[in-house]
PDB file of all heavy atoms in Angstrom:
ATOM      1  N   CYS A1157     -55.132  -8.260  17.718  1.00  0.00           N
ATOM      2  CA  CYS A1157     -54.195  -8.041  16.603  1.00  0.00           C
ATOM      3  C   CYS A1157     -54.183  -6.602  16.102  1.00  0.00           C
ATOM      4  O   CYS A1157     -53.130  -6.086  15.713  1.00  0.00           O
ATOM      5  CB  CYS A1157     -54.558  -8.961  15.437  1.00  0.00           C
ATOM      6  SG  CYS A1157     -54.455 -10.700  15.849  1.00  0.00           S
ATOM      7  N   ILE A1246     -63.487 -11.952  21.308  1.00  0.00           N
ATOM      8  CA  ILE A1246     -63.611 -10.825  20.377  1.00  0.00           C
ATOM      9  C   ILE A1246     -63.423 -11.258  18.930  1.00  0.00           C
ATOM     10  O   ILE A1246     -63.984 -10.668  18.002  1.00  0.00           O
ATOM     11  CB  ILE A1246     -62.602  -9.708  20.744  1.00  0.00           C
ATOM     12  CG1 ILE A1246     -62.897  -8.436  19.945  1.00  0.00           C
ATOM     13  CG2 ILE A1246     -61.163 -10.183  20.531  1.00  0.00           C
ATOM     14  CD1 ILE A1246     -62.071  -7.256  20.372  1.00  0.00           C
ATOM     15  N   ARG A1247     -62.656 -12.334  18.721  1.00  0.00           N
ATOM     16  CA  ARG A1247     -62.398 -12.817  17.360  1.00  0.00           C
ATOM     17  C   ARG A1247     -63.657 -13.360  16.694  1.00  0.00           C
ATOM     18  O   ARG A1247     -63.703 -13.485  15.472  1.00  0.00           O
ATOM     19  CB  ARG A1247     -61.320 -13.897  17.387  1.00  0.00           C
ATOM     20  CG  ARG A1247     -59.961 -13.441  17.886  1.00  0.00           C
ATOM     21  CD  ARG A1247     -59.065 -14.627  18.125  1.00  0.00           C
ATOM     22  NE  ARG A1247     -57.747 -14.255  18.602  1.00  0.00           N
ATOM     23  CZ  ARG A1247     -57.480 -13.995  19.869  1.00  0.00           C
ATOM     24  NH1 ARG A1247     -58.434 -14.054  20.780  1.00  0.00           N
ATOM     25  NH2 ARG A1247     -56.246 -13.662  20.236  1.00  0.00           N
ATOM     26  N   SER A1248     -64.660 -13.693  17.511  1.00  0.00           N
ATOM     27  CA  SER A1248     -65.886 -14.284  16.969  1.00  0.00           C
ATOM     28  C   SER A1248     -67.046 -13.300  16.895  1.00  0.00           C
ATOM     29  O   SER A1248     -68.157 -13.671  16.527  1.00  0.00           O
ATOM     30  CB  SER A1248     -66.301 -15.482  17.836  1.00  0.00           C
ATOM     31  OG  SER A1248     -65.276 -16.431  17.909  1.00  0.00           O
ATOM     32  N   LEU A1254     -63.193  -5.135  12.423  1.00  0.00           N
ATOM     33  CA  LEU A1254     -61.741  -5.034  12.466  1.00  0.00           C
ATOM     34  C   LEU A1254     -61.147  -6.218  13.217  1.00  0.00           C
ATOM     35  O   LEU A1254     -60.170  -6.816  12.789  1.00  0.00           O
ATOM     36  CB  LEU A1254     -61.319  -3.724  13.132  1.00  0.00           C
ATOM     37  CG  LEU A1254     -59.817  -3.439  13.166  1.00  0.00           C
ATOM     38  CD1 LEU A1254     -59.237  -3.412  11.756  1.00  0.00           C
ATOM     39  CD2 LEU A1254     -59.539  -2.123  13.884  1.00  0.00           C
ATOM     40  N   ALA A1255     -61.771  -6.562  14.338  1.00  0.00           N
ATOM     41  CA  ALA A1255     -61.244  -7.669  15.147  1.00  0.00           C
ATOM     42  C   ALA A1255     -61.327  -8.985  14.392  1.00  0.00           C
ATOM     43  O   ALA A1255     -60.399  -9.784  14.405  1.00  0.00           O
ATOM     44  CB  ALA A1255     -62.013  -7.776  16.465  1.00  0.00           C
ATOM     45  N   THR A1256     -62.471  -9.239  13.728  1.00  0.00           N
ATOM     46  CA  THR A1256     -62.613 -10.511  13.027  1.00  0.00           C
ATOM     47  C   THR A1256     -61.700 -10.575  11.810  1.00  0.00           C
ATOM     48  O   THR A1256     -61.175 -11.633  11.485  1.00  0.00           O
ATOM     49  CB  THR A1256     -64.075 -10.733  12.595  1.00  0.00           C
ATOM     50  OG1 THR A1256     -64.543  -9.592  11.849  1.00  0.00           O
ATOM     51  CG2 THR A1256     -64.979 -10.919  13.802  1.00  0.00           C
ATOM     52  N   THR A1257     -61.503  -9.449  11.127  1.00  0.00           N
ATOM     53  CA  THR A1257     -60.593  -9.428   9.974  1.00  0.00           C
ATOM     54  C   THR A1257     -59.165  -9.700  10.416  1.00  0.00           C
ATOM     55  O   THR A1257     -58.453 -10.513   9.822  1.00  0.00           O
ATOM     56  CB  THR A1257     -60.653  -8.058   9.263  1.00  0.00           C
ATOM     57  OG1 THR A1257     -61.995  -7.834   8.806  1.00  0.00           O
ATOM     58  CG2 THR A1257     -59.720  -8.038   8.062  1.00  0.00           C
ATOM     59  N   ARG A1258     -58.729  -9.024  11.469  1.00  0.00           N
ATOM     60  CA  ARG A1258     -57.376  -9.240  11.963  1.00  0.00           C
ATOM     61  C   ARG A1258     -57.231 -10.653  12.543  1.00  0.00           C
ATOM     62  O   ARG A1258     -56.153 -11.220  12.517  1.00  0.00           O
ATOM     63  CB  ARG A1258     -57.025  -8.195  13.026  1.00  0.00           C
ATOM     64  CG  ARG A1258     -57.036  -6.744  12.517  1.00  0.00           C
ATOM     65  CD  ARG A1258     -55.858  -6.449  11.611  1.00  0.00           C
ATOM     66  NE  ARG A1258     -55.930  -5.125  11.043  1.00  0.00           N
ATOM     67  CZ  ARG A1258     -55.208  -4.078  11.456  1.00  0.00           C
ATOM     68  NH1 ARG A1258     -54.366  -4.206  12.438  1.00  0.00           N
ATOM     69  NH2 ARG A1258     -55.324  -2.913  10.869  1.00  0.00           N
ATOM     70  N   ALA A1259     -58.335 -11.207  13.085  1.00  0.00           N
ATOM     71  CA  ALA A1259     -58.267 -12.569  13.613  1.00  0.00           C
ATOM     72  C   ALA A1259     -57.996 -13.570  12.496  1.00  0.00           C
ATOM     73  O   ALA A1259     -57.285 -14.552  12.680  1.00  0.00           O
ATOM     74  CB  ALA A1259     -59.573 -12.917  14.324  1.00  0.00           C
ATOM     75  N   ARG A1260     -58.566 -13.311  11.312  1.00  0.00           N
ATOM     76  CA  ARG A1260     -58.283 -14.185  10.169  1.00  0.00           C
ATOM     77  C   ARG A1260     -56.800 -14.115   9.812  1.00  0.00           C
ATOM     78  O   ARG A1260     -56.179 -15.112   9.454  1.00  0.00           O
ATOM     79  CB  ARG A1260     -59.143 -13.779   8.970  1.00  0.00           C
ATOM     80  CG  ARG A1260     -60.639 -14.003   9.184  1.00  0.00           C
ATOM     81  CD  ARG A1260     -61.436 -13.764   7.912  1.00  0.00           C
ATOM     82  NE  ARG A1260     -62.857 -13.811   8.178  1.00  0.00           N
ATOM     83  CZ  ARG A1260     -63.625 -12.744   8.319  1.00  0.00           C
ATOM     84  NH1 ARG A1260     -63.093 -11.542   8.207  1.00  0.00           N
ATOM     85  NH2 ARG A1260     -64.906 -12.872   8.570  1.00  0.00           N
ATOM     86  N   ILE A1261     -56.236 -12.912   9.907  1.00  0.00           N
ATOM     87  CA  ILE A1261     -54.801 -12.760   9.649  1.00  0.00           C
ATOM     88  C   ILE A1261     -54.011 -13.534  10.693  1.00  0.00           C
ATOM     89  O   ILE A1261     -53.028 -14.216  10.386  1.00  0.00           O
ATOM     90  CB  ILE A1261     -54.407 -11.267   9.667  1.00  0.00           C
ATOM     91  CG1 ILE A1261     -55.120 -10.520   8.550  1.00  0.00           C
ATOM     92  CG2 ILE A1261     -52.894 -11.112   9.539  1.00  0.00           C
ATOM     93  CD1 ILE A1261     -54.953  -9.021   8.608  1.00  0.00           C
ATOM     94  N   GLU A1262     -54.442 -13.440  11.949  1.00  0.00           N
ATOM     95  CA  GLU A1262     -53.752 -14.133  13.038  1.00  0.00           C
ATOM     96  C   GLU A1262     -53.721 -15.636  12.778  1.00  0.00           C
ATOM     97  O   GLU A1262     -52.704 -16.297  13.007  1.00  0.00           O
ATOM     98  CB  GLU A1262     -54.467 -13.847  14.354  1.00  0.00           C
ATOM     99  CG  GLU A1262     -53.848 -14.540  15.553  1.00  0.00           C
ATOM    100  CD  GLU A1262     -54.636 -14.290  16.821  1.00  0.00           C
ATOM    101  OE1 GLU A1262     -55.810 -13.880  16.722  1.00  0.00           O
ATOM    102  OE2 GLU A1262     -54.095 -14.526  17.904  1.00  0.00           O
ATOM    103  N   ARG A1263     -54.827 -16.185  12.309  1.00  0.00           N
ATOM    104  CA  ARG A1263     -54.880 -17.618  12.047  1.00  0.00           C
ATOM    105  C   ARG A1263     -54.069 -17.969  10.809  1.00  0.00           C
ATOM    106  O   ARG A1263     -53.387 -18.988  10.774  1.00  0.00           O
ATOM    107  CB  ARG A1263     -56.340 -18.054  11.882  1.00  0.00           C
ATOM    108  CG  ARG A1263     -57.159 -17.891  13.147  1.00  0.00           C
ATOM    109  CD  ARG A1263     -58.647 -17.987  12.889  1.00  0.00           C
ATOM    110  NE  ARG A1263     -59.408 -17.596  14.068  1.00  0.00           N
ATOM    111  CZ  ARG A1263     -60.700 -17.362  14.065  1.00  0.00           C
ATOM    112  NH1 ARG A1263     -61.388 -17.476  12.954  1.00  0.00           N
ATOM    113  NH2 ARG A1263     -61.329 -17.018  15.173  1.00  0.00           N
ATOM    114  N   ALA A1264     -54.160 -17.127   9.789  1.00  0.00           N
ATOM    115  CA  ALA A1264     -53.442 -17.421   8.546  1.00  0.00           C
ATOM    116  C   ALA A1264     -51.938 -17.366   8.729  1.00  0.00           C
ATOM    117  O   ALA A1264     -51.203 -18.134   8.103  1.00  0.00           O
ATOM    118  CB  ALA A1264     -53.872 -16.429   7.459  1.00  0.00           C
TER     119      ALA A1264
END
Side-chain angles (χ1 to χ4, degrees):
C1157 299
I1246 190 173
R1247 297 169 180 83
S1248 303
L1254 184 58
T1256 53
T1257 300
R1258 298 288 175 103
R1260 294 188 187 101
I1261 297 172
E1262 179 183 18
R1263 295 166 190 168

